[in-house]
Amino acid sequence: MKMKILVLNCGSSSLKYQLFDMDGEKVLSKGLVERIGIPGSRVKHNRGAGDPVIRENDIPDHGAAIKMVLDLLTGPETGVIKSMDEISAAGHRVVHGGEKYAESVLADDSVMRAIDECTYLAPLHNPANLAGIRAMQEALPGIPNAAVFDTAFHQTMPPEAFLYGIPYKYYEKDRVRRYSFHGTSHKFVSSRAAELLGRPIERLKLVTCHVGNGSSITAVDGGRSVDSSLGMGTSPGVIMGTRSGDLDSAVVLHLVEREGSVRRASDIINKESGVLGISGISSDMRDIFAASVEGSERAALTMNMLARSIKKYIAAYAAVMGGADAVVFTAGVGENSDTVRELSLEGLEFMGIKLDKAKNAGIHGSEAEISTPDSPVKVLVIPTNEELMIARDTLGLVKKRPDEKVCSAS
Ligand code: ADP
């Protein structure tokens, strides 16, 4: 069975895409459309080796963006497939599935309505994700579209993990609760960790640390998320590029009062805090590391605060699960920064974590075990691949369909 799957991640003004040949899980092409609906729209299209193709065109909406991507994928000069008929299905990243979706689904009318109903939980993302699905339905009406939710993997959290300590009626009325995000990444790295450790995922306790510009730590017990550090919103948990991490409500209320509006307080917490806010230098950990080497005390403080927040979650989640077999680092900072990994694990020897510092220092963006051979708790670096996870989920859903016609597309 030959299957080519187009994976789409639509933001409010951007679209990232990858075309997979599922026979060998090869990436045939990938690219990025930027500034959709804004002057200066452009596409950067890669197809294997060679320089990327850059096109600067007027791209008013997601429909036009997808049409352009399909033209590039099939064009005589830029293409990797002969015709659009070769695309068997599309998989879409959808940020919020609320409490309704614990797994990926094929997007029919009722799914589209449900995604729309979750817009109040993800006002910037869900409308863009929906626009992407609609645009694909129009461009290629014959193929299925899968919705792969960032929240789905965390729907296995028990109520004691997902409820907040506020009156229960707010959960009943408004579904105020922890949802957390990055589920596709946590699912991908946990299943890869099980493969690397050579043990069934059902018998593993993992703490997966997705530390990037946005970050979340998850307790994965037997392959199921049982706690996760992001919440109803995307600012709690560990300190992030521009988001605060965990905050006392007194601080939130103070900011609202001091700055005079909820919107301004929200901007401070989400866009001006975290690594950027503490350091006053940058939201990018590479800049912070460089500044700290040059002697900036605020940069050093920022790194220490970030590492301390990660450490607290690792230990807390091991406690929640009654132990941990492995700690996994992924995403931009987790995959690349040996310094953040080392600082985060410092002092966790008491719970059986022994880092091989020399090995850790040599790992930047590649898969590796960085604990010592005798470490009771393994430490792994696993580059995340959310797009591949979306493609795999899409393939699984398409194979399950009673109508197998699309599966034989070549
Ligand atoms: P996003 O959450 O936007 O998907 P990523 O997971 O790609 O983000 O992470 C991006 C972040 O990774 C950058 O802001 C930067 O701080 C960090 N990063 C990338 N490379 C390195 C590196 N070599 N050392 C430290 N941090 C890095």
Side-chain angles (χ1 to χ4, degrees):
M1 181 194 302
K2 286 197 174 162
M3 286 276 283
K4 295 196 178 89
I5 292 178
L6 182 60
V7 171
L8 296 169
N9 179 355
C10 292
S12 51
S13 66
S14 69
L15 185 168
K16 288 187 210 145
Y17 62 93
Q18 286 195 21
L19 181 67
F20 283 90
D21 182 346
M22 295 312 285
D23 186 13
E25 297 187 332
K26 287 187 293 287
V27 178
L28 300 176
S29 172
K30 63 176 167 182
L32 168 68
V33 188
E34 288 174 296
R35 301 180 67 87
I36 298 171
I38 306 173
S41 323
R42 59 179 232 145
V43 189
K44 188 172 170 191
H45 170 78
N46 293 281
R47 38 162 201 164
D51 291 336
V53 178
I54 311 275
R55 289 272 160 87
E56 290 177 2
N57 279 38
D58 189 27
I59 306 176
D61 53 31
H62 287 85
I66 282 177
K67 185 168 179 316
M68 187 139 188
V69 169
L70 293 173
D71 285 348
L72 285 164
L73 289 171
T74 52
E77 319 251 293
T78 56
V80 290
I81 49 176
K82 289 199 186 72
S83 99
M84 291 196 249
D85 295 344
E86 286 185 48
I87 301 175
S88 310
H92 299 255
R93 176 194 182 213
V94 178
V95 165
H96 224 301
E99 286 193 320
K100 191 154 186 186
Y101 297 109
E103 283 179 357
S104 305
V105 284
L106 290 179
D108 60 15
D109 288 348
S110 76
V111 171
M112 303 289 278
R113 269 196 305 278
I115 297 172
D116 193 28
E117 281 162 16
C118 288
T119 292
Y120 81 103
L121 292 163
L124 295 180
H125 291 96
N126 271 27
N129 305 151
L130 268 181
I133 300 176
R134 286 204 191 98
M136 251 338 260
Q137 287 171 336
E138 271 168 38
L140 291 181
I143 68 158
N145 287 277
V148 179
F149 302 97
D150 263 23
T151 49
F153 183 61
H154 300 300
Q155 277 299 304
T156 46
M157 285 191 287
E160 49 271 40
F162 73 65
L163 285 173
Y164 293 117
I166 60 172
Y168 193 79
K169 66 179 179 190
Y170 293 102
Y171 170 61
E172 291 178 311
K173 280 185 183 166
D174 305 329
R175 289 292 176 258
V176 173
R177 52 160 287 176
R178 179 189 301 283
Y179 292 93
S180 201
F181 301 90
H182 300 137
T184 310
S185 173
H186 290 290
K187 185 176 167 188
F188 178 83
V189 298
S190 8
S191 74
R192 182 69 190 133
E195 279 171 19
L196 291 173
L197 296 169
R199 292 174 55 185
I201 196 160
E202 294 74 21
R203 278 195 254 132
L204 279 177
K205 295 177 191 301
L206 304 170
V207 181
T208 51
C209 307
H210 177 112
V211 186
N213 199 20
S215 308
S216 55
I217 315 274
T218 296
V220 185
D221 195 350
R224 294 155 64 87
S225 168
V226 294
D227 213 333
S228 186
S229 65
L230 287 174
M232 172 151 153
T234 52
S235 69
V238 301
I239 288 166
M240 294 169 242
T242 63
R243 303 180 221 156
S244 63
D246 289 330
L247 271 190
D248 175 353
S249 60
V251 179
V252 180
L253 298 174
H254 170 80
L255 289 175
V256 172
E257 211 164 23
R258 168 101 200 225
E259 301 293 335
S261 83
V262 171
R263 171 171 272 201
R264 181 73 197 110
S266 164
D267 278 352
I268 293 169
I269 292 165
N270 289 294
K271 299 182 185 159
E272 298 171 24
S273 292
V275 170
L276 173 66
I278 301 157
S279 69
I281 298 168
S282 162
S283 63
D284 193 309
M285 280 312 287
R286 285 166 288 203
D287 300 336
I288 304 307
F289 184 65
S292 138
V293 169
E294 280 164 21
S296 161
E297 280 179 22
R298 287 265 292 281
L301 172 66
T302 306
M303 288 219 295
N304 288 333
M305 283 178 71
L306 170 64
R308 189 184 175 96
S309 70
I310 296 170
K311 181 186 321 206
K312 280 160 79 168
Y313 272 98
I314 293 173
Y317 285 170
V320 159
M321 294 187 290
D325 297 296
V327 175
V328 181
F329 284 94
T330 192
V333 179
E335 290 165 25
N336 291 296
S337 177
D338 55 301
T339 313
V340 169
R341 291 191 302 253
E342 184 178 329
L343 289 173
S344 306
L345 298 174
E346 210 170 70
L348 293 182
E349 294 80 8
F350 79 91
M351 54 173 275
I353 295 179
K354 292 195 207 170
L355 182 70
D356 181 332
K357 290 188 185 175
K359 195 151 187 213
N360 176 48
I363 300 300
H364 306 111
S366 58
E367 206 168 77
E369 187 171 313
I370 54 170
S371 42
T372 60
D374 66 339
S375 179
V377 179
K378 302 292 173 207
V379 183
L380 304 170
V381 177
I382 301 179
T384 194
N385 195 338
E386 287 154 293
E387 293 78 13
L388 177 57
M389 194 74 243
I390 293 172
R392 284 180 185 165
D393 272 14
T394 305
L395 177 66
L397 287 166
V398 170
K399 277 185 174 173
K400 269 200 257 164
R401 275 172 29 126
D403 171 12
E404 286 280 318
K405 268 188 293 188
V406 288
C407 300
S408 55
S410 59

